[in-house]
Amino acid sequence: MRNTIARTEILNLIKGSKIALSHAEMETKLKGLCNRVTIYRVLERLEEEGHIHKFVNVDGLLKFAACHSCDRVHHHNHAHFSCITCGEVTCLEDVEPTFKISPKYEVMEMNFTLSGVCPNCL
């Protein structure tokens, strides 16, 4: 993908954020730099390139966060924490959920989000 201003700013926004961001949050922070469709296209491409990952939060919102150890293949077997007070969502990279599933199924992706009150709100 060409290194456009929109791509650079979106990637910097996500990498500079300590929390996962929704499309709407990014659109607000970008202050009209690009339109909604451009943001969606850039996010899709950044995910394909292994720079970011996405997951569905407990409230059904799609959130995006920076990848730290991906190189075209996503390795996101970590949990996310959603604060019920401030609404921030954080990657819990050191929390790896486990589950048992019948060998008849092939798991391609998983979403594991914990909900409660974050350290900043306690």
Side-chain angles (χ1 to χ4, degrees):
M1 178 179 210
R2 268 185 17 212
N3 195 16
T4 64
I5 293 171
R7 180 186 183 280
T8 300
E9 290 301 314
I10 292 169
L11 185 57
N12 288 341
L13 179 65
I14 294 171
K15 284 187 171 187
S17 180
K18 293 181 180 182
I19 61 169
L21 300 170
S22 69
H23 179 277
E25 290 166 327
M26 283 185 250
E27 190 173 10
T28 300
K29 289 179 184 290
L30 291 169
K31 299 178 183 172
L33 175 71
C34 51
N35 64 35
R36 300 176 57 91
V37 175
T38 300
I39 296 170
Y40 278 119
R41 286 182 181 150
V42 169
L43 290 171
E44 185 176 281
R45 186 53 87 91
L46 289 173
E47 184 184 20
E48 288 172 4
E49 292 173 353
H51 297 292
I52 65 171
H53 67 280
K54 67 182 177 186
F55 60 94
V56 178
N57 192 18
V58 292
D59 57 6
L61 278 176
L62 195 57
K63 295 277 191 166
F64 300 87
C67 291
H68 299 289
S69 61
C70 298
D71 185 26
R72 298 211 182 254
V73 177
H74 289 283
H75 303 283
H76 299 290
N77 295 335
H78 62 265
H80 298 90
F81 189 89
S82 179
C83 181
I84 60 173
T85 303
C86 67
E88 291 186 352
V89 180
T90 346
C91 289
L92 301 175
E93 307 253 355
D94 56 342
V95 178
E96 189 173 316
T98 60
F99 57 90
K100 291 183 181 181
I101 190 167
S102 167
K104 296 177 184 178
Y105 298 93
E106 180 182 354
V107 177
M108 304 300 279
E109 286 184 44
M110 66 178 214
N111 257 331
F112 193 84
T113 304
L114 302 164
S115 181
V117 181
C118 73
N120 294 331
C121 293
L122 280 176

